[in-house]
Amino acid sequence: MSITGNWSYPTAIKFGVGRISELAGACKDLGIKRPLLVTDKGLANLPITERALDILEADGLGRGLFSDVDPNPSELNLAAGVDAYKEGGHDGVIAFGGGSGLDLGKMVAFHANQTRPIWDFEDVGDWWTRADADVIAPIIAVPTTAGTGSEVGRASIITNSQTHVKKIIFHPKVLPSVVICDPELTVGMPKFITAGTGLDAFAHCVEAYSSPHYHPMSQGIALEGMRLVINNLPRAYADGTDLEARAHMMSAAAMGATAFQKGLGAIHALSHPIGAIFNTHHGTTNAVCMPEVLKFNADVIRDRFNLAAGYLGIDGGFEGFQSFVQEFNDGFEIPRKLSEMGVTADKMDALVEGAITDPSCGGNPVELTRENLRHLFNALI
């Protein structure tokens, strides 16, 4: 089977090894004549980024680059990116990289020509309608990790540098018009990034599958996404050049982000404030939180995971799945406690407040209160 395809769900996706070569053509299809490639500091000087810029330059599209993007991007990064976009006379954005580069790139395209502060567009009620949709620049997304799935998302997560709270900024037109998924771009990822991003995709699928909301399409996508991660993340971790495993992981990442339209829950409600306050890797943080959250939600999600376990090749129903998740984490040297990642209990009040106000909090199968959030944080630290 050829792992190559052109998909139109949830947006136009060019999937397959070597398809980064189509980057300039994608720009021209969208009418972009002077793109700004937005990526993070770690990727700025790597060969995959240079190759993308070479492709653009060869077609007369320049070498516009902005890379002042932190691992948990803030409104300060966004302001600098918007300045670079305007000063360079750009007319579109290529969001390039992992979650931070993708999220910040999408926000530069979204916010460059708006007149209101970015926090006015937080994912609250219909706040997205405050934006002038006509001035949102076209976006091409090129993921270089297989985890966040931000390439197929209609939102970005931006950390408020003053309050250290992560905010979700949403607008339907933030969904990239074209996505180029080239598994070859993920080959150079270090093992700990392969694991952390892959487990992020797994967490998205697990939480979407656990969500109490009705969305059968997302439920099916989440189930198959879990299977792809279980079967392929160990292969990609063991051999970073295994392009088949890398391709399946890139699919699973996009599937996880598509599936979580059904909802996220306590894993992300816990993880977002942890990342904002302690600057931890998001996917790794999700992985640490997952076993404890499964235990917390057990009574409500047991029946659905009893069904899923058989499809996933796991014996013992929900309890078997629980045991598998911890063993899966251990196989990638994921810490068992947040304290091993530098998280301390002295910030407990801020952690609980960040979690209770996180949009994911309301989607958990079991109601999350300040009391049980404090219990979860204590158990994990």
Side-chain angles (χ1 to χ4, degrees), residues 288-332:
V288 176
C289 294
M290 197 181 310
E292 194 66 32
V293 171
L294 287 171
K295 178 181 176 182
F296 177 77
N297 289 328
D299 290 345
V300 176
I301 64 175
R302 177 175 281 105
D303 287 348
R304 73 190 70 174
F305 277 94
N306 283 341
L307 294 172
Y311 180 75
L312 298 173
I314 296 169
D315 294 330
F318 172 72
E319 280 72 22
F321 181 80
Q322 267 191 299
S323 298
F324 169 82
V325 167
Q326 187 58 70
E327 293 166 5
F328 202 51
N329 279 356
D330 292 345
F332 304 114

Side-chain angles (χ1 to χ4, degrees), residues 174-220:
V174 167
L175 178 67
S177 297
V178 176
V179 178
I180 296 177
C181 285
D182 185 342
E184 203 166 33
L185 300 180
T186 69
V187 165
M189 277 196 295
K191 294 183 77 164
F192 79 95
I193 296 293
T194 296
T197 55
L199 290 168
D200 191 21
F202 190 57
H204 293 159
C205 293
V206 169
E207 287 220 285
Y209 193 77
S210 301
S211 168
H213 303 305
Y214 179 74
H215 200 320
M217 288 182 287
S218 286
Q219 196 76 343

Side-chain angles (χ1 to χ4, degrees), residues 64-116:
L65 174 67
F66 176 77
S67 61
D68 188 12
V69 181
D70 294 323
N72 291 291
S74 72
E75 84 282 5
L76 303 178
N77 298 144
L78 176 57
V82 166
D83 286 345
Y85 182 88
K86 291 180 175 180
E87 290 169 5
H90 298 287
D91 59 355
V93 169
I94 298 167
F96 188 96
S100 56
L102 294 172
D103 274 8
L104 202 282
K106 292 186 325 187
M107 283 297 98
V108 169
F110 168 74
H111 201 240
N113 296 305
Q114 302 297 331
T115 58
R116 302 178 66 141

Side-chain angles (χ1 to χ4, degrees), residues 259-282:
F260 73 56
Q261 292 183 34
K262 180 172 178 279
L264 293 171
I267 294 173
H268 281 77
L270 298 170
S271 182
H272 285 154
I274 293 166
I277 295 169
F278 292 98
N279 207 31
T280 58
H281 183 268
H282 175 67

Side-chain angles (χ1 to χ4, degrees), residues 273 277 344-356 370 374 377 381:
I277 295 169
T344 55
D346 63 307
K347 300 289 187 181
M348 181 63 70
D349 289 344
L351 289 171
V352 171
E353 189 60 31
I356 201 73
R370 282 181 169 81
R374 189 175 294 272
F377 279 121
I381 294 172

